Amino acid sequence: MKDTLTNNSFKDHYCETYPSPLFSHRSYFLVLFIVALLSPPLVLAISPFDDHNDKNSKAFSRPSLSTSDPKNPLQASSPSSSVSDRNHTRIMQMDSNPQTSSEELDKVCIIGSGNWGSAISVLVGRNCQRYDHFETNVNMWVYEEQIPMPDGSTQKLTEVINEQHENVKYLPGVTLPTNIHAVPDLADACRGATLLIFVLPHQFLPKLLPTIRESAHPNCRGVSLIKGLDFDKDTKLPVLISQSIAQAMGPEFQCGVLMGANVATEVASGQMCESTLASNFGPPADELTRLVFDSPTFRVQHVSDVAGAEVCGALKNVIALDTKL
């Protein structure tokens, strides 16, 4: 996929670390202002004038990783739980809607195959092999381009990925799971998908979303890994990208976000990282979605504040730039 179409400049070219607390007052109040617009309750959690008493600390604390039933994949997330136990555990049957049930297997599609998209495919591919409530094969939409080969010839990027199991242009040196299948046709990639993972620059979404909507499962859900904010042309106010996706996909579509201070190469190579999934799909879809990304070296916590998580994910990069990280 082309550089401009796959690599999010925020994600791939700026430092992906937690920001220094010594950033300027100007940036701090910019953060508070934008967060207040999109997620007012979150201001209480980050305000410097709050005493952070026990009540606030409990209200915004992360859920515990401890579980009462280590054999249940909806509860177990500890690395000590055996893989065999998880592989043979089914989630309770509920109805035919894949957002609230595992009556039919979740079919995952990754939309984007740049540096970050290829890195997240390593985790998604392994987890879809690991858990029996996901279809094993994962389609990854790839914007087709010709790759120069050592012998002087050229080969399609999708063919290289499917044959060598490596994105030699955007994530060289990292082996992708064999169940990741690169697909150049967007409609074919998303056909029947129940979980869409958006990981590409947001400016390309308007042209792609109509095709995605027609091809994906009518009850599908989505997770955006896109960092940034859009702006309404009329009001000039910030707009969440997850909301833009949901509006384009239809009234029943819900879109969560996965946000964290992560570097693609570190995630793909198995270095210890963490991230936050924010969604309101309901049980068991929230936990099913978390399991798609979670691994012993990439710990994922779930929260319900989609707006707060998405804004903090975007503003993290603004703070990093201001502090010259």
Side-chain angles (χ1 to χ4, degrees), residues 276-298:
T276 299
L277 170 69
S279 64
N280 291 289
F281 304 134
D286 283 323
E287 180 62 8
L288 281 173
T289 307
R290 192 189 69 82
L291 289 176
V292 170
F293 303 103
D294 186 68
S295 78
T297 58
F298 188 76

Side-chain angles (χ1 to χ4, degrees), residues 143-162:
Y143 184 86
E144 195 68 279
E145 56 184 304
Q146 297 293 325
I147 302 298
M149 306 306 292
D151 60 2
S153 63
T154 60
Q155 189 175 3
K156 294 179 179 179
L157 179 57
T158 53
E159 294 177 353
V160 175
I161 293 174
N162 291 331

